[in-house]
Amino acid sequence: MAAAAVSEAWPELELAERQRRRELLLTGPALEERVRAAGGRLPPRLFTLSLLHYLEVSGCGSLREPGPGLAQGLPQLQSLVLRRNALGPGLSPELGPLPALRVLDLSGNALEALPPGQGLGPAEPPGLPQLQSLNLSGNRLRELPADLARCAPRLQTLNLTGNCLDSFPAELFRPGALPLLSELAAADNCLRELSPDIAHLASLKTLDLSNNQLSEIPPELADCPKLKEVNFRGNKLKDRRLEKMVGSCQTKSILEYLRVGGRGGGRGKGKADPEKEESRRKRRERKKREGGEGEEEEVDEASRLLLRVLHISENPAPLMVTASPEVRDVRPYIVGAVVRGMDLRTGNALKRFLTSQTKLHEDLCEKRTAATIATHDLSAVRGPLLYTARPPQGLKIVPLGRKEAKAKDLVRQLQLEAEEHRKQRKRQTVSGLHRYLHLLDGKEQYPCLLDADGDVISFPPVTNSEKTKIKKTTSDLFLEVTSATSLQICKDIMDALVLKMAEINKYTLENKEEGSVSDTEADATSGQLSDPRTNSSAEKDRNAPLVVEQVRVVDEEGHLKVVYPSKTDLDITASHVTVVR
């Protein structure tokens, strides 16, 4: 009788168990009452779904703690999203150990501290040994756990924005503690000082400490060998010249000022000690070698992949995306780019391109749970674009290979097809678009990208529109990457996609194939013979770079949210790639 009551209260769990699902999302108004009835915890039955790779429970003001059994019951979990709940003041019991976890999002809760036993997991052995992205923004944290680096030694992205931190633990910056950390965001806190030991973060690329209470910036910050972007706006620095610089100058100028005499305290006009400068220079070179940027074999110029970035100021008609507030609680992150010069007409180039996109979805995008890629024929895209969210019954799209349908009806149709496939194949798993339908479970609004005509050209994470379908004749593309998890994940995946496109294009130009992908395989038009003059030109320009045009994403007031590629993007260290900016 009790089991039947649980099944009735939590039908999602019964369905996930029956279908042996690897992903589960719990959200919506009905969730609040059920969690309250369970004592402010998640139901124990949830932790028996041992196949789960992705779990999201969001927007539940009744959820105060996950409950016991999570670590023991979900050993294969790779992404855990518990944002906009009421977790706090600590986590009891602690989350870890979760040996496979890569993404952890605890943003928008009421966490005040994460002490041992009520935190992320044990330090010895590491409780989160594979964790790459940690989001603790929008909580009430007064301090970070001293053993964070030992608990998550492979951390790459750490978001602490919007807490009550007045300092970082010294252990965070000890040599070798976080060798892979590339992004540190701690804006809107109460930080009073920044340790010179931050120079030990050998992989740091982006540092955002805006709107804190810093009075000095240590000159050692300039010794971070990969640092490309800093934000110290909103701090009252003693060095007035430096304070003006952080509000108006580029990162390179700020770091150079620190390197040659700025001390964040005095006037910053004295000359640097030559011995100290030489010591710092040697340290930077040593860190580059340790980080894999040491001496490499020279690559013949003819075999390099060339990428040219076209800045917005150089573009007479740049494409722009406006992100509306509606996506904030649905799928808030989007990055766009325009790539010109692809040859998809020759041989199997289009098939290779589509296959590479599928592989990225499977690997880096973690089966679209971390992010989703969409590619469009630029000639069919009418900007400016609007990234927004619509109710399922009010969102219409012409999906690839299908007739126009409301999103609600499309999802229902795909669900029926998935059930039919399961019955026919007598399997618990499904293929194609059907694998991603669970990502929309419980969503009251669906994310979508609209063109200037008001047509939906993208419905992430499910499908694109027939209107902007990639064809063999496509040479210029608009790319988008969306995510519910992290902006940095969007950028990393876009980097990987652009690099793969350059590799495919170069291979196509150097290996003229006679074969051609069929319409069925690529869902694209074909059958046009290539012009010999075009081939001759391609032979001459086989080293011509792909052009990557910057695309801005702004809010409804026109304030910049993100531009891609920025100076910190496409920071490719591979010796066979040259990025011309």
Side-chain angles (χ1 to χ4, degrees):
M1 196 76 175
V6 171
S7 298
E8 184 177 348
W10 298 93
E12 306 98 324
L13 306 187
E14 185 177 6
L15 184 64
E17 185 176 23
R18 186 171 69 249
Q19 296 180 351
R20 298 175 62 82
R21 285 192 174 182
R22 297 179 182 273
E23 299 88 11
L24 179 63
L25 185 150
L26 299 174
T27 188
L31 179 64
E32 187 119 5
E33 185 177 341
R34 290 182 289 171
V35 169
R36 188 181 296 113
R41 297 178 171 182
L42 297 173
R45 185 177 180 182
L46 172 59
F47 305 136
T48 65
L49 304 177
S50 59
L51 297 179
L52 282 184
H53 285 186
Y54 178 92
L55 172 62
E56 177 177 347
V57 183
S58 59
C60 180
S62 302
L63 184 62
R64 299 190 301 274
E65 57 185 63
L70 189 151
Q72 295 80 4
L74 305 178
Q76 299 186 51
L77 200 62
Q78 297 179 9
S79 297
L80 177 60
V81 179
L82 300 175
R83 56 193 174 107
R84 295 185 297 105
N85 298 302
L87 299 176
L91 294 171
S92 181
E94 62 185 358
L95 286 181
L98 289 167
L101 196 68
R102 297 179 183 177
V103 175
L104 177 57
D105 186 347
L106 298 174
S107 61
N109 283 283
L111 296 169
E112 297 178 8
L114 297 170
Q118 298 183 42
L120 303 178
E124 298 294 342
L128 305 174
Q130 300 300 323
L131 190 68
Q132 298 175 6
S133 175
L134 174 60
N135 189 346
L136 293 170
S137 64
N139 281 281
R140 305 169 188 169
L141 291 170
R142 299 184 300 274
E143 61 181 6
L144 286 179
D147 60 2
L148 174 60
R150 288 186 292 149
C151 176
R154 299 185 62 81
L155 203 58
Q156 297 178 21
T157 301
L158 177 58
N159 190 344
L160 305 168
T161 302
N163 280 281
C164 306
L165 301 171
D166 61 9
S167 64
F168 292 111
E171 292 82 357
L172 201 67
F173 300 148
R174 63 181 175 82
L178 291 173
L180 304 178
L181 189 69
S182 63
E183 181 180 0
L184 175 58
D188 301 308
N189 277 276
C190 306
L191 294 170
R192 298 180 181 276
E193 62 178 353
L194 181 62
S195 170
D197 290 338
I198 193 171
H200 293 141
L201 296 179
S203 297
L204 190 65
K205 294 181 180 179
T206 304
L207 176 65
D208 185 357
L209 299 182
S210 57
N211 300 322
N212 278 282
Q213 298 175 21
L214 297 173
S215 60
E216 298 180 354
I217 301 175
E220 288 80 3
L221 181 66
D223 294 337
C224 291
K226 296 185 179 181
L227 190 59
K228 296 293 180 65
E229 187 172 335
V230 297
N231 187 353
F232 289 102
R233 294 182 180 88
N235 289 282
K236 294 185 178 180
L237 303 177
K238 292 180 181 178
D239 187 333
R240 296 306 180 192
R241 181 181 175 189
L242 183 59
E243 186 172 16
K244 289 182 180 179
M245 291 182 70
V246 301
S248 59
C249 294
Q250 296 180 350
T251 296
K252 184 177 180 180
S253 300
I254 295 170
L255 297 181
E256 189 61 29
Y257 176 76
L258 292 172
R259 185 176 293 122
V260 300
R263 289 294 179 271
R267 294 164 60 187
K269 295 182 181 179
K271 292 183 179 180
D273 184 328
E275 292 185 4
K276 288 185 177 180
E277 179 60 22
E278 179 64 16
S279 174
R280 286 196 189 120
R281 186 186 65 78
K282 290 181 179 179
R283 195 191 325 174
R284 287 196 300 274
E285 290 178 354
R286 183 172 66 251
K287 286 180 179 177
K288 284 184 178 181
R289 289 195 298 270
E290 292 171 354
E293 291 191 352
E295 297 178 1
E296 298 174 343
E297 293 184 7
E298 298 225 350
V299 178
D300 183 8
E301 194 67 30
S303 65
R304 286 180 178 271
L305 300 175
L306 297 178
L307 293 168
R308 177 173 176 260
V309 175
L310 185 68
H311 193 272
I312 286 173
S313 61
E314 304 173 289
N315 191 345
L319 192 62
M320 186 174 70
V321 180
T322 299
S324 73
E326 286 80 9
V327 298
R328 188 177 297 122
D329 297 331
V330 181
R331 196 176 185 87
Y333 305 108
I334 182 171
V335 165
V338 167
V339 174
R340 296 185 185 270
M342 280 295 289
D343 179 5
L344 298 177
R345 184 193 298 269
T346 307
N348 285 324
L350 178 56
K351 184 176 182 180
R352 277 195 296 273
F353 173 65
L354 298 176
T355 300
S356 68
Q357 187 175 327
T358 300
K359 288 182 178 178
L360 284 172
H361 270 145
E362 289 294 308
D363 300 332
L364 284 182
C365 296
E366 299 178 21
K367 298 182 179 179
R368 303 199 192 191
T369 58
T372 302
I373 299 167
T375 56
H376 308 266
D377 186 329
L378 183 64
S379 65
V381 176
R382 292 197 65 238
L385 305 177
L386 175 64
Y387 182 52
T388 186
R390 298 276 175 85
Q393 64 274 16
L395 194 163
K396 288 185 178 180
I397 186 173
V398 182
L400 287 172
R402 295 172 182 262
K403 296 181 180 179
E404 183 182 62
K406 292 182 178 180
K408 180 180 180 181
D409 298 333
L410 173 63
V411 170
R412 180 57 183 160
Q413 179 62 33
L414 291 171
Q415 288 172 337
L416 292 174
E417 291 176 7
E419 288 298 324
E420 186 63 28
H421 288 174
R422 285 194 184 96
K423 292 176 182 177
Q424 290 178 358
R425 300 180 183 182
K426 297 181 180 180
R427 295 179 181 175
Q428 296 296 333
T429 58
V430 292
S431 60
L433 297 178
H434 309 93
R435 293 180 295 170
Y436 312 121
L437 298 178
H438 66 276
L439 298 175
L440 298 171
D441 289 351
K443 298 289 187 184
E444 296 180 358
Q445 296 197 94
Y446 289 167
C448 56
L449 187 65
L450 280 65
D451 66 8
D453 297 326
D455 294 333
V456 176
I457 63 172
S458 177
F459 171 24
V462 178
T463 186
N464 293 6
S465 168
E466 185 79 12
K467 180 176 182 178
T468 58
K469 174 180 65 177
I470 300 292
K471 303 179 287 291
K472 286 182 73 69
T473 53
T474 300
S475 61
D476 302 334
L477 297 86
F478 169 61
L479 317 175
E480 58 161 294
V481 179
T482 60
S483 173
T485 305
S486 162
L487 181 63
Q488 189 60 44
I489 286 176
C490 291
K491 288 189 164 196
D492 291 345
I493 290 169
M494 186 69 86
D495 282 354
L497 176 60
V498 171
L499 178 59
K500 179 56 68 174
M501 290 173 68
E503 292 173 349
I504 291 172
N505 213 44
K506 189 168 185 64
Y507 179 88
T508 301
L509 292 174
E510 292 179 347
N511 300 273
K512 293 297 182 183
E513 304 158 292
E514 296 180 2
S516 178
V517 63
S518 68
D519 292 340
T520 305
E521 290 174 312
D523 190 24
T525 60
S526 61
Q528 299 181 20
L529 296 176
S530 57
D531 188 333
R533 291 172 296 178
T534 304
N535 287 340
S536 175
S537 174
E539 287 294 331
K540 289 181 181 179
D541 299 333
R542 66 171 52 182
N543 286 327
L546 279 184
V547 176
V548 185
E549 295 181 5
Q550 288 185 321
V551 171
R552 290 183 300 162
V553 178
V554 301
D555 62 20
E556 288 190 326
E557 286 75 40
H559 299 134
L560 182 66
K561 294 172 70 71
V562 63
V563 60
Y564 181 93
S566 68
K567 291 186 177 181
T568 59
D569 302 319
L570 290 176
D571 184 21
I572 300 168
T573 58
S575 59
H576 67 291
V577 181
T578 298
V579 180
V580 181
R581 299 181 188 271

